[in-house]
Amino acid sequence: MPENCKTISLNKMSVGQKGRIREFVVESDDCERIEEMGVTPGEQVEVVRYAPLGDPIEIKIRGYHLSLRKEEAALIQVEVLS
Amino acid sequence: MSSLTFQSTRPSLVKTVALTGNPNSGKTTLFNAFTKLRQKVGNYPGVTVERKTGTLMLAKDRVVNVIDLPGMYSLAVRSPDEQLARDVLMGRTVDTPKPDLVICVVDAGNLERNLYLVSQLQDLGLPMVIALNMMDEVERQGKEIDVARLSQALGMPVVPTVASQNKGIEKLKQIIAEGVTVFYQRGWRMAPDLEEEVEHLVRLLVQHEGMDRHQAFAEALILLSLGAKLKNEEKKAGPAQWFYKEELIRQINMVQDRLRLKGLRARTAAIEARYGWIKSILKQCVRDKNKRGEDLTERIDGIVTHKLWGWVFFLGIMALMFYMIFTIANYPMDWINAGFTRLGDWVTQTLPEGQLRNLIVNGIIAGVGGVVIFLPQILILFFFISLLQDTGYMARTAFIMDRVMSKVGLHGKSFIPLLSSFACAIPGIMSARTIESPKDRLVTILVAPLMSCSARLPVYTIMIAVLMPAATGMQKAGIMLSMYVLGITGACLMAWLFKKTLLRSQKPVFIMELPPYRWPSWHAVVIHMWERSRLFLKRAGTIILALSVILWVLMSYPRHEGLQGSDALKASFAGRMGTALEPVIKPLGYDWRIGIGLIGSFAAREVFVSTMSIVFNLDDEAGENTLREAFQAAHWPDGRPLFTPLVCLSLMVFYVFALQCVSTIAIVWRETNSWQWPLFQFVYMAILAYLAALAVYQLGRMMGFS
Ligand SMILES: Nc1nc2c(ncn2[C@@H]2O[C@H](COP(=O)(O)OP(=O)(O)OP(=O)(O)O)[C@@H](O)[C@H]2O)c(=O)[nH]1
Ligand SMILES: [Mg+2]
């Protein structure tokens, strides 16, 4: 991995930032459903917005919009692209 | 599974066709196009939560059954509605035959994720055709899909459709008529070690359970992905649980142990492999010609999910709705009222004096008319709700409300059943089926009737009219809005309480798709309103009519010679019931006549209005024309006015909280499969309503209001 690539968890990303999913930090039923929705390692993701009260997050992945809570997003490690 | 599957259906064999696919892909729209039925369509995931059947005429003597199913994201089901869909597809439902042909409706604008389910369905080896729906949106976005190539890559027919414009329907019918031949080739592979274990499991399942290899393969993948050790669950837990022989369970657990030792990530390997395969297909078949900038959906979302404007918009929409309910609806309401009054006068003049005339004029016309008059208001309410549901705003309300709901212990998805309950608690309670956690679903069901449904509208309207006859539409809308807000607040508080006490469970995950905004089809909106009016009028013509007759009888008998008006009413059965109730409700500010109204409305809330119409028609004090005037003229024996502002408020608050609806009780009974929960719900809401109304009246008096 090149030096300038930062890896952070998805809930730390700011609006408009793009990244590539690296891994889920735990394995669980819930993570499985999130992966089934297309949030799989290697896929590009963009943070579209945070809800008015700060939670959940709306992300764009595989060409569609998905919302999930910060709590779950914290389990997803993302390599920041821009 | 052998990597090749060849399946073909003989045309004459296709008798049952099932529609499946991801939520919100257009299954019901297609179903309606096939069957000419009018099932509910809406632009958010989870509109359909039941199996619906209809028939499709292919030719004069060729009829096919069509089944519409709830949408699902994956065969690894999480919620009751998804489970139902899977069970029907796999032929596990007793009362539905296994479909001979499956039409998988795929949202072409969201092809990548939609194909995930397709890939799982292929494992089942079902004869399948893809309806590549929403092609209009794909074209608008400037994308090109090579349909022939996609069909080849998937090994099944693919038909481009625009279900909302009836495009592609003929082609699909032709395929149903001719039958399909599918040729599946599993294009994805997991790590060799995993493949080996899967093969081992498949052999076990075939041997011990007598499954065919397709089913065994699908089942083996699910077994691999189980986190916990497999145990035979109790039968009560439902059909999704496993009932394997002990030996098989031991073997399966051994496989899982081996995988754990090798450190293989079995749970997600198949998911990732499938998505890898899908990517490679899309690379061949989809061309994105022009990269667009920000689209309409993103611009709208910039406003409606904005920190400030989001809330302004939400409250603004509700306020506008109530404003229209109080202003525009007035004209048609006056016409309907005039119509019923004229009808009553005509009957009075035509029929000879007597109990029959009395029954028709004071019982039926007053009772039914009292309810029917609210049709225009209810239509406006349904118009707005239909807009919320059809544009895609519904999913956004779940998105912005999730934080609030999570404080309560539920998640944003619970907000959708709650919002739907504004129309009627019954569809609201049904749509709680999309909630994964059984306890959260139960909590949602328990609080859903606290949301003010359309049947409360008549009660609120009349009370507000009495409360402040001279107020402007805006002020009335404000009071109405606050009643709704009171209901939402009550629902949140009770949900919080239930989650803390009776129904503790972990905080649920919230994963929800936000569909793009779509123009509501005006045709569908009009049909929805028409269906609703039909139901409303039917209800008025049946239940309300029957109840009006019963109530009239209770209020008119036994007859006492020499007693007139109010005294006769008081001596009747209903009057005696009301009088018996009076001590209990007097602290709320109600007299025995309101007591009769309360008793009547325990069957259905709007019956309050018809009951009161009958009460004041019988108890004809001054021959008032409208119910409002009758209310304003009513007074206690000592001459104090009965409907003081405080009593009006207290009554409204009572109706916000009380569960006065037999149909809701019945549906909760069915959905929870127990009679304890509806009973509990009825009792807690009655107590809540009583206490809240008591608090309003008594505190109000202490503060010097009347
Ligand atoms: N533009 C466009 N919109 C469509 C098309 N087909 C359906 N829709 C719209 O897509 C939305 C979803 O349609 P439904 O038929 O309710 O979808 P469903 O698959 O039954 O959804 P669930 O019951 O929630 O699983 C509605 O707003 C429809 O009007 C289409 O071909 N083009
Ligand atoms: Mg549907």
Side-chain angles (χ1 to χ4, degrees), chain B residues 24 26-29 40-42 46-49 68-71:
Chain B
N24 211 41
K27 298 175 293 300
T28 306
T29 314
K40 184 82 191 84
V41 164
V47 181
T48 311
V49 291
D68 184 24
L69 293 173

Side-chain angles (χ1 to χ4, degrees), chain B residues 373-425:
Chain B
I373 186 176
F374 290 98
L375 180 63
Q377 296 200 323
I378 288 182
L379 277 181
I380 293 180
L381 178 76
F382 277 102
F383 174 74
F384 271 86
I385 288 181
S386 168
L387 282 192
L388 284 189
Q389 294 180 330
D390 294 355
T391 52
Y393 184 61
M394 202 73 156
R396 272 72 188 184
T397 60
F399 178 68
I400 57 180
M401 289 302 287
D402 177 62
R403 191 66 209 278
V404 180
M405 300 304 283
S406 88
K407 284 262 184 289
V408 167
L410 297 175
H411 68 41
K413 267 195 211 164
S414 295
F415 198 65
I416 292 180
L418 294 186
L419 262 191
S420 307
S421 301
F422 276 160
C424 172

